[in-house]
Amino acid sequence: WDPFFQKSVDFWKEEGGMLLYRHFPVNPQMQMIYRGIDLRSFSLSFTFTPKSAKEAQSVKDIIYTFKRHFAPKLQNAKVSSNENMFLIAPSIFNIDFNLGSKQNVFLPRYGDCVLVDIDVNYAPNGWAAYEDGSPVQTTLNLQFREIEMVTRDKLDNGYDSGATFNKSGFDPMNIDSGNSTGAAQLDKSTVIGQRGLR
């Protein structure tokens, strides 16, 4: 073992080296590798305030329907869950926001998705119930996640309602503080929406 080499190593460790002494920090050569994006997720929240026994039953049925399609199914329902080796995946959802009978183009469009979490609160403002025991108010929170990645090609082809601006030939990627020509063709709300898609 060379004593001089050992002193050099100690110098770099303790003193930070000659480059650092001369205010030349070592370049860490940091880089980023793009590996894709996560699948989109979104949540929906509902508040139910039934005014009759019939409405209370409807709320119960709605919550049960989501719970049922959230849960997996045993491959062989005749035996216990401990004896089943495989599960059948839960249901796939397709959610649309409609205005009457047509899609509301001002709201996002989602592809096929799965329900990844469900939360029911039967006492959002403290427990209160009718004479039959049904809660006065119930909140239902649903967390969904798409099962397919949304690409730029899909958006340009009108997959999401927010991409319809591409039909006019306007490219939001060219928006910057020094280019007001393209932005002047649109109103302020449209420009903000396009910047949000970056």
Side-chain angles (χ1 to χ4, degrees):
W1 181 257
D2 188 350
F4 177 78
F5 179 76
Q6 180 62 49
K7 291 182 180 180
S8 300
V9 173
D10 294 339
F11 175 78
W12 278 98
K13 288 183 178 180
E14 298 176 6
E15 304 297 334
M18 187 62 68
L19 292 177
L20 186 59
Y21 175 77
R22 294 184 178 181
H23 306 288
F24 292 113
V26 177
N27 184 357
Q29 301 290 342
M30 297 180 63
Q31 296 181 353
M32 179 180 292
I33 299 177
Y34 182 76
R35 299 186 184 278
I37 58 176
D38 293 333
L39 297 175
R40 295 194 304 181
S41 61
F42 61 98
S43 60
L44 298 176
S45 180
F46 303 92
T47 300
F48 302 103
T49 309
K51 301 298 184 182
S52 65
K54 182 178 180 180
E55 291 183 356
Q57 183 61 43
S58 296
V59 172
K60 182 179 178 181
D61 293 341
I62 291 173
I63 294 175
Y64 168 77
T65 300
F66 279 107
K67 286 183 176 181
R68 182 176 183 276
H69 289 280
F70 168 69
K73 185 178 180 181
L74 298 176
Q75 184 188 34
N76 186 356
K78 296 182 179 180
V79 298
S80 65
S81 59
N82 293 332
E83 298 177 0
N84 271 270
M85 182 175 296
F86 301 105
L87 295 174
I88 299 176
S91 300
I92 295 177
F93 292 79
N94 188 274
I95 298 175
D96 293 319
F97 299 99
N98 294 331
L99 184 62
S101 59
K102 297 182 179 180
Q103 179 187 355
N104 190 338
V105 297
F106 294 96
L107 295 179
R109 177 184 174 188
Y110 296 102
D112 292 341
C113 53
V114 292
L115 182 59
V116 296
D117 191 28
I118 180 172
D119 178 71
V120 183
N121 188 349
Y122 295 98
N125 298 307
W127 173 250
Y130 294 107
E131 293 181 355
D132 61 354
S134 59
V136 171
Q137 193 171 71
T138 304
T139 59
L140 174 64
N141 298 307
L142 306 172
Q143 184 73 28
F144 293 92
R145 181 174 298 164
E146 289 183 311
I147 60 176
E148 187 177 356
M149 182 184 300
V150 178
T151 62
R152 186 182 302 176
D153 305 281
K154 286 187 175 182
L155 294 175
D156 290 344
N157 289 328
Y159 175 82
D160 194 290
S161 58
T164 54
F165 61 84
N166 281 329
K167 295 179 181 179
S168 64
F170 186 85
D171 185 2
M173 302 302 291
N174 291 332
I175 295 179
D176 55 49
S177 57
N179 180 13
S180 60
T181 303
Q185 300 174 1
L186 303 172
D187 58 26
K188 183 178 180 181
S189 61
T190 305
V191 174
I192 292 175
Q194 291 169 343
R195 284 178 174 171
L197 288 175
R198 287 189 176 184

